[in-house]
Amino acid sequence: MTTAPARTDLYPTRGATEVMTPRKDPVVWSAPGTPGPIATADLMGFERDGFLTVDQLIDEDEVTLYRSELDRLIADPAVRADERSIIEPKSQDVRSVFEVHKLSEVFAALVRDERVVGRARQILGSDVYVHQSRINVKPGFGASGFYWHSDFETWHAEDGLPNMRTVSVSIALTENFDTNGGLMIMPGSHKTFLGCAGETPKDNYKQSLQMQDAGTPSDEALTRYAEDHGIRLFTGRAGSATWFDCNCMHGSGDNITPYPRSNVFIVFNSVENTAVQPFAAPVPRPDFIGARDFTPVR
């Protein structure tokens, strides 16, 4: 009888106390000078800050196409009834729809667009697959925000991603003002992993997709991060995009303005960093939240 070797957990989390661990992985995985759509200076900025903005990733006609498709999906009763749709607890409006690249050929084509997937390959230094995709709908007059968190903390703890070799892109489908619940990131926070305190509840995803609880940093840790790194609020017209590293501390506020804020959100993971068993949860989250299909994007 043989015993399976103990696996190495580079980023402990969900223990008795919070733990800060220096990042053990590269931020940019491709070799210097590797060709790609991101200029060298911008890639250096991504390495330093953990994010990269593109003023116009898609043009006005494309924004119209993707907005129409978003509207079609959230108005479809079958989509609303699907488990991939997350409903606002108070308003009962659709908050997010997951796995949109499988629900919609329009969004599937966006995932395959070289302007999108090419940047992911350049940052991660390999072929990539979609770990998660969704549309986020933040209508005016009270849509709730997303509390401060590191995506990697959840993806490591609950999905089993071993290393920080994952990048997200948020593409604005409405204008991002400084008042309508825009994305906030702490620049440089991606260089330190914050392992959160507390065990993962059973079926935590059902609660966390509406309001984060497990995997939430303490006020003390957030205060230290903010003092060390500051906070950057992203604004921009429809069609702009923000790329950010999986370990960035980020969040967004409620939208109490009349102006909606909607975006399409795509998470690319390296095919060399595929999910294993969760590091701090009894079972993996459903595939529509954390993919177990590692087919490269082509």
Side-chain angles (χ1 to χ4, degrees), residues 215-229:
T216 301
S218 68
D219 291 352
E220 293 77 15
L222 289 172
T223 299
R224 177 175 170 180
Y225 266 61
E227 289 175 346
D228 289 346
H229 304 292

Side-chain angles (χ1 to χ4, degrees), residues 266-294:
I266 306 164
V267 180
F268 294 101
N269 188 39
S270 169
V271 296
E272 299 172 11
N273 187 44
T274 53
V276 296
Q277 284 301 109
F279 285 84
V283 295
R285 298 190 299 174
D287 289 4
F288 70 86
I289 304 173
R292 298 274 157 171
D293 177 356
F294 311 132

